[in-house]
Amino acid sequence: MDLRIFTEPQQGATYDTLLTVAKATEDLGFDAFFRSDHYLKMGNVDGLPGPTDAWITLAGLARETKRIRLGTLMTAGTFRLPGVLAIQVAQVDQMSGGRVELGLGAGWFEEEHTAYGIPFPKEKFGRLEEQLEIVTGLWQTKVGNTFDFHGRFYDLTDSPALPKPAQEKIPVLIGGHGATRTPRLAARYADEFNIPFASIEDSERQFGRVRAAAEEAGRRADDLVYSNALVVCVGRDDAEVARRAAAIGREVEELKANGLAGSPAEVVDKIGKYAEIGSQRIYLQVLDLDDLDHLELISAEVQSQLA
């Protein structure tokens, strides 16, 4: 089971804070550092000092880290034109020496679009499908050839399809709870399917849909990696768990029901149950980015038991 650190910087974080967490992620042996792609806080937090851009952040981290994978859960398709996104991600991949992964979603948070003057189209899923075809098509076009695409939402003519990523193929993540269109998109474009904040039962059901869609599309179901994103709150004793839960404004029992919370043994046991239904990777949503002791505990007493 791979464990990755997943951050939500729109809730309040500077680049320096993210750099500190990313370096701790690398030093403590975690597989990757991922971040959300949002421009507006959610819930009862002040969000100060304000949002940071996902791909600008990852570009900086690409030069400041050496081993960990870097990516997004999920880049909002509404934020970036697909041709521009292909350039950005390929460049960050070059800057990292080939350690980037692209999670791409349709976008959903209308208020952040209103707050920053970003168009929020009604038809998002059709746009996402075209974006996936364009981004992957640009990367796959051989040097010296051009790429054309004429769709309902986007039109590209004689694109040089440059620059190229450092990796031969940047892993693409697609995720969500949709029962029909999401599995179909994952079967066509994804290297990894991620389901966020889902129960073991719902995860098993959705993984089954994706596996079936992959086989219908002529792929082996096991060609995809299957993963979960879950909030994490671990403590050496009940008091430490309660303190960490209070710091992120959550209740312990709710976290135990909907995430990975409790003692290291409890969390290892629950991760094992996700592994039993086919999850191969867990993105640990860390909400208190100043609590590096939390990461150290997870590394020493959770990750070590899963190795």
Side-chain angles (χ1 to χ4, degrees):
M1 176 68 75
D2 291 334
L3 294 186
R4 295 181 160 189
I5 300 303
F6 169 40
T7 62
E8 301 274 6
Q10 76 279 354
Q11 300 300 87
T14 65
Y15 172 75
D16 285 341
T17 297
L18 296 173
L19 175 60
T20 298
V21 174
K23 286 187 170 181
T25 297
E26 185 159 84
D27 292 343
L28 293 169
F30 294 103
D31 183 61
F33 174 94
F34 271 57
R35 61 156 292 166
S36 60
D37 189 15
H38 286 294
Y39 291 139
L40 200 67
K41 69 181 179 69
M42 302 172 195
N44 188 28
V45 296
D46 59 27
L48 295 175
T52 50
D53 181 83
W55 285 101
I56 291 176
T57 297
L58 294 175
L61 298 180
R63 308 302 288 180
E64 299 276 4
T65 57
K66 294 183 172 114
R67 178 189 59 79
I68 51 172
R69 308 288 295 177
L70 300 166
T72 51
L73 282 182
M74 300 282 186
T75 289
T78 47
F79 288 176
R80 296 169 175 86
L81 297 171
V84 175
L85 181 62
I87 292 169
Q88 291 172 321
V89 178
Q91 184 176 2
V92 178
D93 194 53
Q94 291 176 359
M95 294 168 70
S96 72
R99 294 183 285 123
V100 159
E101 303 185 10
L102 171 64
L104 185 59
W108 61 270
F109 190 16
E110 186 171 5
E111 287 86 348
E112 67 188 336
H113 295 74
T114 302
Y116 286 97
I118 304 166
F120 189 70
K122 289 183 179 179
E123 176 52 68
K124 293 180 286 299
F125 206 91
R127 289 175 183 271
L128 174 62
E129 188 162 9
E130 290 193 10
Q131 289 165 344
L132 286 162
E133 185 168 350
I134 292 166
V135 170
T136 57
L138 287 167
W139 291 338
Q140 292 165 4
T141 299
K142 292 182 179 178
V143 174
N145 293 346
T146 58
F147 176 82
D148 291 82
F149 179 87
H150 307 292
R152 180 182 170 196
F153 303 103
Y154 302 102
D155 200 292
L156 287 76
T157 301
D158 291 334
S159 173
L162 297 171
K164 299 302 183 195
Q167 297 175 85
E168 184 175 344
K169 186 179 192 312
I170 290 179
V172 172
L173 290 76
I174 293 172
H177 296 258
T180 304
R181 297 176 76 183
T182 297
R184 179 177 58 79
L185 268 192
R188 184 174 178 188
Y189 295 105
D191 299 284
E192 178 177 338
F193 179 78
N194 177 269
I195 184 164
F197 315 118
S199 68
I200 294 165
E201 295 75 19
D202 287 345
S203 298
E204 184 175 27
R205 189 176 303 114
Q206 188 70 333
F207 289 163
R209 293 184 184 121
V210 174
R211 295 178 73 89
E215 291 173 354
E216 287 175 15
R219 295 181 66 182
R220 293 175 61 251
D222 288 342
D223 285 347
L224 283 81
V225 172
Y226 298 86
S227 65
N228 288 85
L230 295 161
V231 63
V232 67
C233 180
V234 187
R236 294 174 182 84
D237 53 37
D238 290 346
E240 192 168 77
V241 174
R243 175 176 63 78
R244 288 199 163 112
I248 60 174
R250 303 280 284 269
E251 297 293 330
V252 171
E253 291 310 310
E254 179 269 322
L255 287 169
K256 287 187 176 184
N258 299 312
L260 299 171
S263 68
E266 288 178 284
V267 170
V268 168
D269 181 66
K270 191 163 185 181
I271 289 174
K273 292 175 181 176
Y274 277 95
E276 287 173 3
I277 57 94
S279 185
Q280 299 158 278
R281 181 174 288 158
I282 303 286
Y283 292 81
L284 302 173
Q285 186 197 42
V286 177
L287 295 175
D288 185 353
L289 299 182
D290 294 318
D291 187 1
L292 297 183
D293 289 342
H294 193 198
L295 295 184
E296 292 176 5
L297 175 63
I298 296 167
S299 173
E301 299 194 29
V302 176
Q303 182 172 237
S304 62
Q305 296 189 55
L306 299 170

